[in-house]
Amino acid sequence: MTETPGQFTQEMIAQMNECAKQLYDTNCAGFLDYKTAYINQTETFDNIRTHYADIYFNNFIIRFCYYPHVPLTTSHSALTSFVSLDKTETERIFYPLSQIYGYFGICPENALTIPLILSPESMTEGFCCLAEAVEAIMPNIQSLSYDPEQKTLLFNQEVESAVLMLKKEYPTTEDLQNFFHDIGKDGFESWKAEQSPMANEEEMREEFDNLISRLKDDVHSVIEQDKKGFLTYYYDFLLMRYVSPAYEAYMTGNYTAALKKLKKQKYKTAYENRLIEYLDNAQTPRPHVPESIYINLTELYKNGIPKNNIKEGLMIAPAMLIFALIWLPLYLAIYFLFYFIESRDAVYLLGTLANAPSAMFPAMICGIPMLYFQSKRFYKLFFKKNYEQMAALDNAVNSRSTHRFMRALMGVLVACSVVFLALTAHQNIKLTETGFYDNTNFWSLQGEYYSYDEVDKLHYREQTPSGYGDMLDIPSYVILLKNGEELDPYRFDSNDEKFLDVFRKKGVLVYRSQKLK
């Protein structure tokens, strides 16, 4: 079993390449090519955007494409296939196999995008599933690749579908004809005026017509190139659609849910219409993916999200507690460092030591990302029967970007924890030689300073107002100032004798003979 997401992706790609080589040898194809695209310039296995194998036939190319993660979805480790009918062109269009099936008006036997490939065996099964779909219509693809008119028709139909779905506009053939007609009609005189007066008008007309002809070719080329790029974007959108909950329901044989979701989709492709027609007329529901993929979709996943069972939920609490106990000594040390800073010029601090247990809170929070980094250890402890499946799913779900995000999150949480501990240690009543600071406001950095001369007395109160008209059974000593202001530090246990003794030594009256209401 692989240990990291990078090793997992490497193993899946190696198995895919082996399957492609076998298909290439079986069909006596002309050429086999492997290519990899990365998310950025870091060329590592955990940073791969897509890997594909191109098998060249007489006049077309079959591409098998592996996505460790399908963009903007929760789908992982997916395999699909494309077809190019322009083997001789450098700027090729690769149509999804589903679009080719839709163009021929045929419904495939099985799904044409296979998600959740979690082992070399399931990669082989998924690849064979797609290879069978390709071979089933190989003669149709061969005929289409030699028919320029049908290829143009397919291209135009795909562009129309993409334009309809993604709200893009292109000038029509009639628009272009009118545009160049207007240029030819009104532009010649302007252009002629810029030429030499000695030039022959007939020659100028011929040169102008040649210029317009070249401009037509350039405009047509630019538009066609833009359409090809737009189709690539459109097919990325379709890929995300083909791993949606609607297709997962179809893959697992839940025809009722699949039909309900597919019929709600707007701008259906020809492939989707054939699929809906098949599901409407099918007598017996069945899965449309290999057995291993079916198990992954039903036992590990549901609607694109890993299933959470009771054991997983129960695993989180002890795991967080364990990691919290690991972090706690560090955060306690940081807390008491701030306590030392606070107490340097203080006679006494009320509340800071009592707040020390709050260090457990950031320790628990920082335990959350630690679950990510140490998840496999807990899978082995809590999921002995499904350990390999859970670990494989973990490798498929995670990536280099996930790892970087979790490291960044850990850094942010540690920084926030230090700030939290600093504010918590600073939340106190700080007694000095000349007066005291009221730092009871959590977000207060300076606090309010009062000299002992401003204090009238400290009065005992058995109950504290809640602020909502009720009285709470919380006894405390209230600090009454000479200006009539009242400070009630009940949250810090103002019954502390050391705290009260400082006021007594400074000549402030402290007594319990009366009760304040």
Side-chain angles (χ1 to χ4, degrees):
M1 185 192 69
T2 54
E3 295 296 327
T4 66
Q7 292 172 343
F8 172 84
T9 301
Q10 182 180 12
E11 188 174 9
M12 294 302 102
I13 287 175
Q15 188 62 32
M16 171 189 158
N17 290 348
E18 178 62 28
C19 292
K21 180 66 168 58
Q22 292 177 9
L23 182 64
Y24 164 79
D25 292 336
T26 301
N27 287 273
C28 300
F31 185 64
L32 174 61
D33 187 29
Y34 304 113
K35 290 183 181 179
T36 301
Y38 297 91
I39 296 173
N40 50 42
Q41 296 180 350
T42 306
E43 297 186 1
T44 57
F45 281 100
D46 60 355
N47 197 45
I48 289 177
R49 183 187 303 278
T50 182
H51 174 82
Y52 53 86
D54 287 347
I55 303 177
Y56 289 68
F57 292 89
N58 289 343
N59 201 41
F60 60 93
I61 304 170
I62 302 297
R63 169 172 288 182
F64 292 89
C65 204
Y66 175 69
Y67 296 85
H69 310 279
V70 180
L72 302 180
T73 73
T74 56
S75 184
H76 308 282
S77 194
L79 183 69
T80 190
S81 185
F82 296 82
V83 178
S84 174
L85 304 168
D86 304 307
K87 179 181 174 182
T88 57
E89 294 187 16
T90 54
E91 297 294 333
R92 304 184 183 100
I93 304 171
F94 280 90
Y95 299 100
L97 186 59
S98 59
Q99 302 305 96
I100 299 296
Y101 262 93
Y103 180 75
F104 292 140
I106 304 171
C107 184
E109 288 292 320
N110 292 308
L112 300 179
T113 299
I114 313 294
L116 279 186
I117 299 173
L118 302 182
S119 68
E121 293 74 22
S122 59
M123 171 60 79
T124 300
E125 292 178 2
F127 191 96
C128 289
C129 181
L130 291 181
E132 289 174 3
V134 169
E135 291 174 333
I137 59 169
M138 190 83 81
N140 306 64
I141 297 174
Q142 179 79 9
S143 299
L144 180 60
S145 68
Y146 283 104
D147 192 331
E149 292 184 2
Q150 290 298 314
K151 287 197 293 184
T152 301
L153 178 62
L154 170 63
F155 176 77
N156 290 335
Q157 287 182 356
E158 290 297 287
V159 171
E160 287 178 9
S161 298
V163 165
L164 182 65
M165 181 180 292
L166 302 178
K167 310 301 182 184
K168 174 84 172 182
E169 292 187 2
Y170 284 100
T172 65
T173 302
E174 184 178 354
D175 293 335
L176 292 175
Q177 287 176 345
N178 292 336
F179 173 73
F180 286 111
H181 177 268
D182 293 340
I183 291 179
K185 181 180 179 181
D186 304 326
F188 177 67
E189 293 300 327
S190 299
W191 183 80
K192 183 175 70 170
E194 298 176 0
Q195 307 305 308
S196 171
M198 304 298 294
N200 182 281
E201 183 168 341
E202 185 177 339
E203 291 178 352
M204 283 193 292
R205 168 58 72 177
E206 182 178 355
E207 185 176 351
F208 180 75
D209 290 342
N210 289 335
L211 179 63
I212 294 298
S213 179
R214 290 196 298 271
L215 181 59
K216 286 182 180 180
D217 291 340
D218 290 343
V219 170
H220 178 76
S221 177
V222 169
I223 292 176
E224 290 298 295
Q225 188 65 32
D226 189 55
K227 286 180 178 179
K228 290 179 180 180
F230 183 58
L231 277 183
T232 300
Y233 175 74
Y234 170 60
Y235 293 149
D236 287 341
F237 179 85
L238 288 184
L239 174 64
M240 293 185 283
R241 191 154 160 169
Y242 292 159
V243 291
S244 66
Y247 280 87
E248 288 187 4
Y250 156 68
M251 293 176 198
T252 56
N254 187 348
Y255 287 8
T256 302
L259 271 171
K260 182 178 179 180
K261 295 177 184 294
L262 286 171
K263 287 181 177 180
K264 284 184 178 180
Q265 291 182 165
K266 295 182 178 179
Y267 312 114
K268 300 178 185 64
T269 65
Y271 163 65
E272 289 170 330
N273 287 327
R274 298 289 80 75
L275 193 58
I276 290 172
E277 183 181 339
Y278 165 80
L279 295 174
D280 266 331
N281 298 319
Q283 299 296 319
T284 306
R286 66 175 180 84
H288 292 269
V289 288
E291 178 66 20
S292 60
I293 306 300
Y294 174 81
I295 292 173
N296 293 341
L297 285 170
T298 54
E299 294 186 6
L300 297 179
Y301 251 54
K302 182 177 182 181
N303 293 335
I305 300 174
K307 286 185 175 181
N308 294 316
N309 56 35
I310 296 176
K311 287 186 69 176
E312 285 178 284
L314 295 175
M315 180 193 81
I316 294 175
M320 284 185 62
L321 180 60
I322 291 172
F323 288 126
L325 294 176
I326 294 174
W327 280 100
L328 186 58
L330 172 64
Y331 283 144
L332 281 174
I334 294 173
Y335 185 86
F336 281 106
L337 173 63
F338 288 122
Y339 170 74
F340 171 75
I341 295 172
E342 284 286 315
S343 62
R344 282 182 302 173
D345 58 344
V347 175
Y348 189 72
L349 287 176
L350 179 66
T352 301
L353 284 177
N355 286 340
S358 62
M360 190 64 183
F361 175 70
M364 292 286 288
I365 295 297
C366 288
I368 296 174
M370 289 296 290
L371 285 172
Y372 165 81
F373 294 107
Q374 300 295 328
S375 59
K376 290 186 176 64
R377 295 180 184 273
F378 287 93
Y379 290 153
K380 186 171 287 187
L381 180 63
F382 290 94
F383 301 97
K384 294 181 180 180
K385 293 183 179 179
N386 299 329
Y387 167 65
E388 292 192 4
Q389 280 183 303
M390 295 295 295
L393 179 60
D394 202 47
N395 283 328
V397 168
N398 296 325
S399 65
R400 185 180 185 85
S401 58
T402 307
H403 191 74
R404 291 176 63 184
F405 171 79
M406 294 304 294
R407 287 178 60 186
L409 177 63
M410 176 64 78
V412 169
L413 289 179
V414 170
C416 290
S417 297
V418 172
V419 172
F420 170 79
L421 293 174
L423 291 173
T424 304
H426 182 66
Q427 189 181 27
N428 54 50
I429 291 183
K430 183 176 181 178
L431 304 180
T432 67
E433 290 292 344
T434 59
F436 67 93
Y437 289 89
D438 179 10
N439 298 318
T440 54
N441 186 347
F442 181 76
W443 297 106
S444 172
L445 298 179
Q446 296 296 328
E448 293 290 333
Y449 176 76
Y450 303 93
S451 68
Y452 294 117
D453 292 337
E454 295 179 71
V455 181
D456 181 30
K457 55 191 172 183
L458 267 69
H459 232 309
Y460 179 76
R461 179 162 58 188
E462 291 185 347
Q463 292 183 313
T464 299
S466 66
Y468 297 97
D470 300 325
M471 299 298 291
L472 304 176
D473 292 328
I474 302 176
S476 64
Y477 276 88
V478 180
I479 303 173
L480 298 179
L481 303 178
K482 292 177 179 179
N483 63 7
E485 188 177 349
E486 177 183 302
L487 304 178
D488 187 356
Y490 68 88
R491 71 185 71 178
F492 297 134
D493 186 17
S494 58
N495 297 291
D496 187 330
E497 284 299 323
K498 292 183 179 180
F499 170 73
L500 299 174
D501 283 344
V502 173
F503 281 94
R504 291 189 182 105
K505 289 177 181 179
K506 298 299 181 180
V508 177
L509 181 62
V510 180
Y511 65 98
R512 301 180 54 158
S513 60
Q514 296 179 4
K515 299 178 182 179
L516 295 177
K517 300 296 183 182

